[in-house]
Structure formats: C-alpha cells, structure tokens
Amino acid sequence: MVLTIEEAGDRYLDIVCPSNAAVNALTAAFTATEGSFLNGEAADLAPVKAAAQVRMESTSVEIDLIEDESVIWPEEVTAHLTTLRDYSVAELATISSIVNAADYEEAYYAAWPDGTNVAPAAQEIRRALELSPDTAASCVGHEDGHGRLLAAQG
C-alpha cells in the first residue's frame, strides 16, 4: 500500500501517539514516586513497573508497524522513520530492565540510549507530512491508533 501524504500523516499519528501516551505514563509514574526515593524513603516500584510494561508493549507494536513492509511511506520520511525505529529498538533494553528491576533504584537509574536525534527526526516527519508540531494536540483522536492499525492488518 503506497501512502499519500495525508494517509501517511494519519498512520504516523496512529503509530506514535499511543507510544507517546505510554512515555507520558511512565514519566508520570516515576514523578509520582521519585520524591520518596530521593528522600531516602522506600518508593513504590509497582506503578513504575506497570507503566514500563505498557510502554514496552507499545514500543514493540510501534516498531512492528514502522517495519510493516506492505506499507510504502513517502520517500521524504523513510530515513527519519528509520531513526525513530532504531531508537525504539535500543530503548527496549532499558524498558525491559525497568520492568525486571529488583528495586526502585535499579529502575530509576536505568540507562537510556542516546536519543538526541529522535526529536528532530520526529519533527522532520511532521513537517513532511504536513502535521502540527504540537505532539499533544495532534494526537487527539489517535490514542487507540495501534488498535486500529492492528485490526486493519487482520
């Protein structure tokens, strides 16, 4: 299936918006619990691990959808999609370490891969696909994008 710019924009948002929500949920889980940890108190690891599990699943689906060989993206975004995909693959190791952490400290200090090129690549995709640079507002209506795309695959 060869995507038009409009189709590619919708598909891109359906791929990244659920993953962005999972990123936000993991960040929120750490934010809600890190105060205790930083004050030397016991921090609840359970919500962090649960959010990390959701993020790991979402990231795996994102990778699969980007790699779908039946989809032909506009040429101007393919290299940037590869950048996003490669980072997502690399971050799976970190997310897995959080899911499997023995304690809060191990989860909190999990090392993330260098992602300095990811945000610029994502914004280049948005520009090429004529999407808003606002990653929150543009995701309205795409929260269940993974489910829609997976259902369409059959």
Side-chain angles (χ1 to χ4, degrees):
M1 153 180 37
V2 177
L3 300 176
T4 65
I5 293 294
E6 184 178 346
E7 291 167 336
D10 282 340
R11 185 174 186 87
Y12 176 75
L13 293 175
D14 277 348
I15 291 172
V16 300
C17 291
S19 295
N20 289 351
V23 168
N24 293 341
L26 180 57
T27 300
F30 271 120
T31 300
T33 56
E34 74 181 345
S36 298
F37 172 70
L38 295 174
N39 287 326
E41 302 164 9
D44 188 2
L45 182 57
V48 170
K49 289 178 93 166
Q53 180 66 45
V54 170
R55 182 162 178 200
M56 187 164 60
E57 292 165 6
S58 181
T59 299
S60 294
V61 171
E62 175 184 312
I63 292 165
D64 290 344
L65 291 169
I66 290 172
E67 291 179 338
D68 184 347
E69 293 180 1
S70 71
V71 176
I72 309 300
W73 291 86
E75 184 178 330
E76 55 265 48
V77 300
T78 57
H80 300 301
L81 283 170
T82 299
T83 299
L84 295 184
R85 178 240 174 246
D86 291 350
Y87 180 77
S88 294
V89 169
E91 77 176 353
L92 279 175
T94 300
I95 300 166
S96 178
S97 72
I98 294 169
V99 167
N100 296 297
D103 58 36
Y104 192 90
E105 182 175 14
E106 183 181 343
Y108 190 79
Y109 289 115
W112 292 91
D114 178 15
T116 54
N117 59 345
V118 175
Q123 286 300 325
E124 288 292 343
I125 292 169
R126 286 173 172 276
R127 287 178 54 76
L129 299 181
E130 301 171 3
L131 299 170
S132 168
D134 185 334
T135 59
S138 63
C139 280
V140 173
H142 295 276
E143 298 85 355
D144 189 34
H146 288 176
R148 273 193 301 278
L149 292 174
L150 292 173
Q153 285 181 338

